[in-house]
Amino acid sequence: MKKIAFSGTLDPITNGHMWVIQEARAISDEVVVFISENPFKKPQFAAEKRRAIVEQCVAARDWSNVSVILVKGDYTARAAKKSGIDYLIRGIRNTTDFDYENLIQQANVDIVNGAKTIFVMPPRDLGSVSSTFVRALQGPVGWHWAVKNFLPAPAYVAWLLDWLRKDWEALWQYANASADRIADTNYWFEKLVGDTAYGSPLRPYHNHDHLVHGLSEIAVWAANTNASSSEVETLKKAFWFHDAVYQVPQGPISNEEQSAMLWISTQ
């Protein structure tokens, strides 16, 4: 088979999706991943961001015969057919999946004159993995470690950064901030999550995972105590900066002292 397509919202792309794409690579010369932009859905990531994440996941595995296309205003099965692709590939985890996917497959062929569908069965360890399942894990302390088991690395990093961004914007009250204040806090966000701070690949512990875990702990603590909003705000801001500087070996001024000085410089 020369070409085969895989389609979905991919919000986020999971290890289950990656397995299906790998199966498609095994039976075709070229795989096209169609990402649908459905105006009636409210995904965590915008369509362009989802495409970028999938491209990063594909590149990380060196899958040079896989391309990613964003579909706007059309059915993905019809978009595939227009591109000269006769078959889509879909993963079937259980009988519920089959009933749903079979109905979609019939509509694709009989109603929208689109590509036909090939079904594949994932291995047992991926049988429960879906984007909906993964999104439902978000929230409790340690949620990120659970999610990490089901996502390719670039998708996991993108999810953490998205979560951290939302926490940061709420903390600094972007909705009521001036343009200058937003620009300043944007600078500090990028600095803190960047590769000179918590995003450094050289950090074994004080990294993005550490940030998410600590901020989740603070949120749960606040929800179970009578902590005031000002107390929560102060604690969160302190945690964001507490290990911003991490040098091994430490210089004449400790990492903690340098991190505190960095925090003071934002005031």
Side-chain angles (χ1 to χ4, degrees):
M1 189 177 297
K2 186 172 179 58
K3 276 188 181 182
I4 193 168
F6 175 65
S7 67
T9 306
L10 305 185
D11 183 50
I13 186 169
T14 68
N15 289 334
H17 295 136
M18 295 296 285
W19 179 85
V20 175
I21 295 171
Q22 176 61 65
E23 289 295 291
R25 294 181 70 246
I27 61 176
S28 65
D29 298 325
E30 183 179 348
V31 180
V32 181
V33 178
F34 288 104
I35 296 180
S36 59
E37 184 179 57
N38 188 335
F40 298 102
K41 289 186 176 182
K42 295 182 179 180
Q44 177 167 339
F45 295 104
E48 291 288 356
K49 180 63 175 178
R50 278 179 276 140
R51 177 169 66 177
I53 293 170
V54 175
E55 288 175 339
Q56 291 167 8
C57 294
V58 168
R61 301 200 182 185
D62 198 25
W63 289 349
S64 58
N65 64 335
V66 179
S67 58
V68 186
I69 295 176
L70 183 60
V71 178
K72 298 181 180 181
D74 200 358
Y75 300 103
T76 52
R78 189 162 63 188
K81 191 76 170 181
K82 289 177 180 177
S83 301
I85 302 172
D86 293 322
Y87 289 95
L88 299 173
I89 189 169
R90 300 289 292 175
I92 298 294
R93 296 161 299 182
N94 47 49
T95 56
T96 301
D97 270 1
F98 176 77
D99 290 341
Y100 174 77
E101 293 291 350
N102 186 46
L103 179 63
I104 296 299
Q105 196 272 154
Q106 291 172 2
N108 285 341
V109 175
D110 300 334
I111 298 176
V112 303
N113 193 30
K116 297 178 181 179
T117 305
I118 295 173
F119 298 131
V120 291
M121 299 287 291
R124 184 174 59 181
D125 62 322
L126 296 175
S128 63
V129 181
S130 69
S131 296
T132 301
F133 167 75
V134 173
R135 287 197 303 272
L137 294 173
Q138 184 170 266
V141 173
W143 67 267
H144 55 296
W145 288 323
V147 164
K148 193 172 188 176
N149 294 319
F150 304 109
L151 299 182
Y156 176 68
V157 171
W159 193 329
L160 289 196
L161 289 176
D162 181 73
W163 189 93
L164 288 168
R165 179 81 205 193
K166 289 172 181 174
D167 184 271
W168 179 266
E169 291 186 4
L171 180 61
W172 295 96
Q173 301 176 21
Y174 271 45
N176 302 315
S178 66
D180 288 344
R181 183 59 170 167
I182 289 175
D184 183 57
T185 51
N186 277 343
Y187 165 80
W188 282 108
F189 176 79
E190 295 300 333
K191 185 174 181 65
L192 289 171
V193 302
D195 58 12
T196 61
Y198 296 103
S200 171
L202 302 178
R203 290 191 174 206
Y205 176 67
H206 299 110
N207 48 29
H208 291 156
D209 291 273
H210 176 63
L211 258 185
V212 171
H213 185 77
L215 292 167
S216 298
E217 287 273 16
I218 293 171
V220 171
W221 165 77
N224 288 279
T225 65
N226 293 319
S228 67
S229 58
S230 62
E231 287 175 322
V232 175
E233 178 181 314
T234 299
L235 187 55
K236 277 195 168 187
K237 288 179 178 178
F239 190 80
W240 266 99
F241 282 86
H242 81 291
D243 278 313
V245 177
Y246 183 82
Q247 298 174 348
V248 179
Q250 296 192 39
I253 302 177
S254 71
N255 291 337
E256 290 76 11
E257 289 175 296
Q258 292 184 69
S259 295
M261 291 167 64
L262 192 66
W263 158 248
I264 292 170
S265 71
T266 69
Q267 303 307 300

Coordinates of all heavy atoms in Angstrom, one line a residue, residues 136-189:
A136 N -8.6 13.0 31.9 CA -9.4 12.8 33.1 C -8.4 12.6 34.3 O -8.9 12.7 35.5 CB -10.3 11.6 33.0
L137 N -7.2 12.2 34.1 CA -6.2 12.0 35.2 C -5.7 13.3 35.8 O -5.2 13.3 36.9 CB -5.0 11.2 34.6 CG -5.3 9.8 34.2 CD1 -4.0 9.2 33.5 CD2 -5.7 8.9 35.3
Q138 N -5.9 14.4 35.1 CA -5.4 15.7 35.5 C -6.1 16.2 36.8 O -7.3 16.1 36.9 CB -5.5 16.8 34.4 CG -4.9 18.1 34.7 CD -4.9 19.0 33.5 OE1 -3.9 19.1 32.8 NE2 -6.0 19.7 33.2
G139 N -5.3 16.7 37.7 CA -5.9 17.4 38.9 C -5.2 17.0 40.2 O -4.6 17.8 40.8
P140 N -5.4 15.7 40.7 CA -4.9 15.4 42.0 C -3.3 15.5 42.1 O -2.7 15.4 41.0 CB -5.4 13.9 42.2 CG -6.5 13.8 41.3 CD -6.2 14.7 40.1
V141 N -2.8 15.5 43.3 CA -1.4 15.5 43.4 C -0.8 14.3 42.8 O -1.2 13.2 43.0 CB -1.0 15.6 44.9 CG1 0.5 15.4 45.1 CG2 -1.4 16.9 45.6
G142 N 0.3 14.5 42.0 CA 0.9 13.4 41.3 C 0.3 13.0 40.0 O 0.7 12.1 39.3
W143 N -0.7 13.8 39.5 CA -1.4 13.5 38.2 C -0.4 13.4 37.1 O -0.6 12.6 36.2 CB -2.5 14.5 37.9 CG -1.9 15.9 37.6 CD1 -1.8 16.9 38.5 CD2 -1.5 16.4 36.4 NE1 -1.3 18.1 37.9 CE2 -1.1 17.8 36.5 CE3 -1.4 15.9 35.1 CZ2 -0.6 18.6 35.5 CZ3 -1.0 16.7 34.0 CH2 -0.6 18.0 34.2
H144 N 0.6 14.3 37.1 CA 1.6 14.3 36.0 C 2.3 13.0 35.8 O 2.7 12.6 34.7 CB 2.5 15.5 36.1 CG 3.3 15.6 37.4 ND1 2.7 15.7 38.6 CD2 4.6 15.4 37.6 CE1 3.6 15.7 39.6 NE2 4.8 15.5 39.0
W145 N 2.7 12.4 36.9 CA 3.4 11.1 36.8 C 2.5 10.0 36.2 O 3.0 9.1 35.5 CB 3.9 10.7 38.2 CG 5.0 11.6 38.7 CD1 6.0 12.1 37.9 CD2 5.3 12.0 40.0 NE1 6.9 12.8 38.7 CE2 6.4 12.8 40.0 CE3 4.6 11.8 41.2 CZ2 7.0 13.4 41.1 CZ3 5.1 12.4 42.4 CH2 6.3 13.2 42.3
A146 N 1.2 10.1 36.5 CA 0.3 9.1 35.9 C 0.2 9.4 34.4 O 0.2 8.4 33.6 CB -1.1 9.2 36.6
V147 N 0.0 10.6 34.1 CA -0.1 11.0 32.7 C 1.1 10.6 31.9 O 1.0 10.2 30.7 CB -0.4 12.5 32.5 CG1 -0.2 13.0 31.1 CG2 -1.8 12.8 33.0
K148 N 2.3 10.8 32.5 CA 3.6 10.5 31.8 C 3.6 9.1 31.2 O 4.3 8.9 30.2 CB 4.7 10.8 32.8 CG 6.1 10.8 32.1 CD 7.1 11.3 33.2 CE 8.5 11.6 32.5 NZ 9.4 12.1 33.5
N149 N 2.9 8.2 31.8 CA 3.0 6.8 31.4 C 2.3 6.6 30.0 O 2.5 5.5 29.4 CB 2.3 5.9 32.4 CG 3.0 5.8 33.7 OD1 4.2 5.7 33.8 ND2 2.3 5.8 34.8
F150 N 1.4 7.5 29.6 CA 0.6 7.3 28.5 C 0.9 8.2 27.3 O 0.2 8.1 26.3 CB -0.9 7.4 28.9 CG -1.3 6.5 30.0 CD1 -1.5 7.0 31.3 CD2 -1.3 5.1 29.8 CE1 -1.9 6.2 32.3 CE2 -1.7 4.3 30.8 CZ -2.0 4.8 32.1
L151 N 1.9 9.1 27.4 CA 2.1 10.1 26.4 C 3.6 10.0 25.9 O 4.5 9.8 26.7 CB 1.9 11.5 26.9 CG 0.5 11.9 27.4 CD1 0.5 13.4 27.8 CD2 -0.5 11.7 26.3
P152 N 3.8 10.2 24.6 CA 5.1 10.4 24.1 C 5.7 11.6 24.7 O 5.0 12.6 25.0 CB 5.0 10.5 22.6 CG 3.5 10.9 22.4 CD 2.8 10.3 23.5
A153 N 7.1 11.6 24.8 CA 7.7 12.7 25.6 C 7.4 14.1 25.1 O 7.1 15.0 26.0 CB 9.3 12.5 25.5
P154 N 7.4 14.4 23.8 CA 7.1 15.8 23.4 C 5.7 16.2 23.8 O 5.4 17.4 24.2 CB 7.3 15.8 21.9 CG 8.2 14.7 21.7 CD 7.9 13.7 22.7
A155 N 4.7 15.3 23.8 CA 3.4 15.6 24.2 C 3.3 15.8 25.7 O 2.5 16.7 26.2 CB 2.4 14.5 23.8
Y156 N 4.0 15.1 26.5 CA 4.0 15.2 27.9 C 4.6 16.6 28.3 O 4.0 17.3 29.1 CB 4.9 14.1 28.5 CG 5.0 14.3 30.0 CD1 3.9 14.1 30.9 CD2 6.3 14.5 30.6 CE1 4.1 14.2 32.3 CE2 6.4 14.7 32.0 CZ 5.3 14.5 32.8 OH 5.5 14.6 34.2
V157 N 5.7 17.0 27.7 CA 6.3 18.3 28.0 C 5.4 19.4 27.6 O 5.2 20.4 28.4 CB 7.7 18.4 27.2 CG1 8.2 19.9 27.3 CG2 8.7 17.5 27.7
A158 N 4.7 19.3 26.5 CA 3.8 20.3 26.0 C 2.6 20.5 27.0 O 2.1 21.6 27.3 CB 3.2 20.0 24.6
W159 N 2.2 19.3 27.6 CA 1.1 19.3 28.5 C 1.5 20.0 29.8 O 0.8 20.9 30.4 CB 0.6 17.9 28.9 CG -0.7 17.9 29.6 CD1 -1.2 18.8 30.5 CD2 -1.7 16.8 29.5 NE1 -2.4 18.4 31.0 CE2 -2.7 17.2 30.4 CE3 -1.8 15.7 28.8 CZ2 -3.9 16.4 30.6 CZ3 -2.9 14.9 29.0 CH2 -3.9 15.3 29.9
L160 N 2.7 19.7 30.3 CA 3.2 20.3 31.5 C 3.3 21.9 31.4 O 2.9 22.6 32.2 CB 4.5 19.8 32.0 CG 4.6 18.3 32.5 CD1 5.9 18.1 33.2 CD2 3.4 18.1 33.5
L161 N 3.8 22.3 30.2 CA 4.0 23.7 30.0 C 2.7 24.4 29.9 O 2.5 25.5 30.3 CB 4.8 23.9 28.7 CG 6.3 23.6 28.8 CD1 7.0 23.7 27.5 CD2 7.0 24.4 29.9
D162 N 1.7 23.8 29.3 CA 0.4 24.3 29.2 C -0.3 24.5 30.6 O -0.9 25.5 30.9 CB -0.5 23.5 28.3 CG -1.9 24.0 28.1 OD1 -2.1 25.0 27.4 OD2 -2.9 23.5 28.7
W163 N -0.1 23.5 31.4 CA -0.7 23.5 32.8 C 0.0 24.6 33.6 O -0.6 25.4 34.3 CB -0.5 22.2 33.4 CG -1.1 22.0 34.8 CD1 -2.4 21.5 35.0 CD2 -0.6 22.4 36.0 NE1 -2.7 21.5 36.3 CE2 -1.6 22.1 37.0 CE3 0.6 23.0 36.4 CZ2 -1.4 22.3 38.4 CZ3 0.8 23.2 37.8 CH2 -0.2 22.9 38.7
L164 N 1.4 24.7 33.4 CA 2.1 25.7 34.2 C 1.7 27.1 33.7 O 1.7 28.0 34.5 CB 3.6 25.5 34.0 CG 4.2 24.3 34.7 CD1 5.6 24.0 34.3 CD2 4.2 24.5 36.2
R165 N 1.5 27.2 32.4 CA 1.2 28.6 31.9 C -0.2 29.0 32.5 O -0.3 30.2 32.8 CB 1.1 28.5 30.3 CG 0.7 29.8 29.7 CD 1.9 30.6 29.5 NE 1.5 32.0 29.4 CZ 2.4 33.0 29.1 NH1 3.6 32.7 28.7 NH2 2.0 34.2 29.0
K166 N -1.1 28.1 32.5 CA -2.4 28.5 33.1 C -2.3 28.9 34.5 O -3.0 29.8 35.0 CB -3.4 27.4 32.8 CG -3.8 27.2 31.4 CD -4.7 25.9 31.2 CE -5.0 25.8 29.7 NZ -5.7 24.5 29.4
D167 N -1.5 28.1 35.3 CA -1.4 28.4 36.7 C -0.7 29.8 36.9 O -1.1 30.5 37.7 CB -0.5 27.3 37.3 CG -0.3 27.5 38.8 OD1 0.6 28.2 39.3 OD2 -1.2 27.0 39.6
W168 N 0.3 30.0 36.0 CA 1.0 31.3 36.1 C 0.1 32.5 35.8 O 0.1 33.5 36.5 CB 2.2 31.2 35.1 CG 3.0 32.5 35.0 CD1 2.9 33.5 34.1 CD2 4.2 32.8 35.9 NE1 3.9 34.5 34.3 CE2 4.7 34.1 35.4 CE3 4.8 32.2 36.9 CZ2 5.7 34.7 36.0 CZ3 5.9 32.8 37.5 CH2 6.4 34.1 37.0
E169 N -0.7 32.4 34.7 CA -1.5 33.5 34.3 C -2.6 33.8 35.4 O -3.0 34.9 35.7 CB -2.2 33.2 33.0 CG -1.2 33.2 31.8 CD -1.9 33.1 30.5 OE1 -3.1 33.0 30.4 OE2 -1.1 33.0 29.5
A170 N -3.1 32.7 36.1 CA -4.1 32.9 37.1 C -3.4 33.5 38.3 O -4.0 34.4 39.0 CB -4.7 31.6 37.5
L171 N -2.2 33.1 38.6 CA -1.4 33.7 39.8 C -1.2 35.2 39.6 O -1.3 35.9 40.6 CB -0.1 32.9 39.9 CG 0.8 33.3 41.1 CD1 0.1 33.1 42.4 CD2 2.1 32.5 41.0
W172 N -0.8 35.6 38.4 CA -0.5 37.0 38.2 C -1.7 37.8 37.7 O -1.5 38.9 37.2 CB 0.7 37.1 37.3 CG 2.0 36.5 37.9 CD1 2.5 35.3 37.7 CD2 2.8 37.2 38.8 NE1 3.6 35.1 38.5 CE2 3.9 36.3 39.1 CE3 2.9 38.5 39.3 CZ2 4.9 36.6 40.0 CZ3 3.9 38.8 40.2 CH2 4.9 37.9 40.5
Q173 N -2.8 37.2 37.7 CA -4.1 37.8 37.3 C -4.0 38.6 36.0 O -4.2 39.8 35.9 CB -4.5 38.8 38.5 CG -4.7 38.1 39.8 CD -4.9 39.1 40.9 OE1 -5.4 40.2 40.7 NE2 -4.7 38.7 42.2
Y174 N -3.7 37.8 35.0 CA -3.6 38.4 33.6 C -4.8 39.1 33.2 O -4.8 40.1 32.4 CB -3.2 37.3 32.6 CG -1.8 37.0 32.5 CD1 -0.9 36.9 33.5 CD2 -1.2 36.8 31.2 CE1 0.5 36.7 33.4 CE2 0.1 36.6 31.0 CZ 1.0 36.5 32.1 OH 2.3 36.3 31.9
A175 N -6.0 38.6 33.6 CA -7.3 39.2 33.2 C -7.4 40.6 33.5 O -8.1 41.4 32.8 CB -8.4 38.4 33.7
N176 N -6.7 41.0 34.6 CA -6.8 42.4 35.1 C -5.5 43.2 35.0 O -5.5 44.3 35.5 CB -7.3 42.4 36.6 CG -8.6 41.7 36.8 OD1 -9.6 41.9 36.0 ND2 -8.7 40.8 37.8
A177 N -4.5 42.6 34.4 CA -3.2 43.2 34.4 C -3.0 44.1 33.1 O -3.7 44.0 32.1 CB -2.1 42.2 34.3
S178 N -2.2 45.1 33.3 CA -1.9 46.0 32.2 C -1.0 45.3 31.2 O -0.4 44.3 31.5 CB -1.2 47.3 32.7 OG 0.1 46.9 33.2
A179 N -0.9 45.9 30.0 CA -0.1 45.3 28.9 C 1.4 45.2 29.4 O 2.1 44.2 29.1 CB -0.2 46.1 27.6
D180 N 1.9 46.3 30.1 CA 3.3 46.3 30.5 C 3.5 45.2 31.6 O 4.6 44.5 31.6 CB 3.6 47.6 31.1 CG 3.8 48.7 30.1 OD1 3.9 48.4 28.9 OD2 3.7 49.9 30.4
R181 N 2.5 45.0 32.5 CA 2.7 44.0 33.5 C 2.7 42.6 32.9 O 3.4 41.7 33.3 CB 1.5 44.1 34.5 CG 1.6 43.2 35.7 CD 2.9 43.3 36.5 NE 2.8 42.6 37.7 CZ 3.9 42.4 38.5 NH1 5.1 42.9 38.1 NH2 3.8 41.7 39.6
I182 N 1.8 42.4 31.9 CA 1.7 41.1 31.2 C 3.1 40.8 30.5 O 3.6 39.7 30.6 CB 0.6 41.0 30.3 CG1 -0.8 41.0 31.0 CG2 0.7 39.8 29.3 CD1 -2.0 41.0 30.2
A183 N 3.6 41.8 29.8 CA 4.9 41.6 29.1 C 6.0 41.2 30.1 O 6.8 40.4 29.8 CB 5.2 42.9 28.4
D184 N 6.0 41.9 31.3 CA 7.0 41.6 32.3 C 6.9 40.2 32.8 O 7.9 39.5 33.0 CB 6.9 42.6 33.4 CG 8.0 42.4 34.5 OD1 9.2 42.5 34.1 OD2 7.7 42.2 35.6
T185 N 5.6 39.8 33.2 CA 5.4 38.5 33.7 C 5.6 37.4 32.7 O 6.1 36.3 33.0 CB 4.0 38.3 34.4 OG1 3.0 38.8 33.5 CG2 3.9 39.2 35.6
N186 N 5.3 37.7 31.4 CA 5.6 36.7 30.3 C 7.1 36.5 30.3 O 7.6 35.3 30.1 CB 5.2 37.3 29.0 CG 3.7 37.1 28.7 OD1 3.1 36.2 29.4 ND2 3.1 37.8 27.8
Y187 N 7.9 37.5 30.4 CA 9.4 37.4 30.4 C 9.8 36.4 31.5 O 10.6 35.5 31.3 CB 10.1 38.7 30.6 CG 11.5 38.6 31.0 CD1 12.5 38.4 30.0 CD2 11.9 38.7 32.3 CE1 13.8 38.3 30.3 CE2 13.3 38.6 32.6 CZ 14.2 38.4 31.6 OH 15.6 38.3 32.0
W188 N 9.3 36.6 32.7 CA 9.7 35.7 33.8 C 9.2 34.3 33.7 O 9.9 33.4 34.0 CB 9.2 36.3 35.1 CG 10.1 37.5 35.6 CD1 9.8 38.8 35.6 CD2 11.4 37.4 36.0 NE1 10.8 39.5 36.0 CE2 11.9 38.7 36.3 CE3 12.3 36.3 36.2 CZ2 13.2 39.0 36.7 CZ3 13.6 36.6 36.7 CH2 14.0 37.9 36.9
F189 N 8.0 34.1 33.1 CA 7.5 32.8 32.8 C 8.5 32.0 31.9 O 8.9 30.9 32.2 CB 6.1 32.8 32.3 CG 5.6 31.4 31.9 CD1 5.1 30.6 32.9 CD2 5.7 30.9 30.6 CE1 4.7 29.3 32.6 CE2 5.2 29.7 30.3 CZ 4.7 28.8 31.3

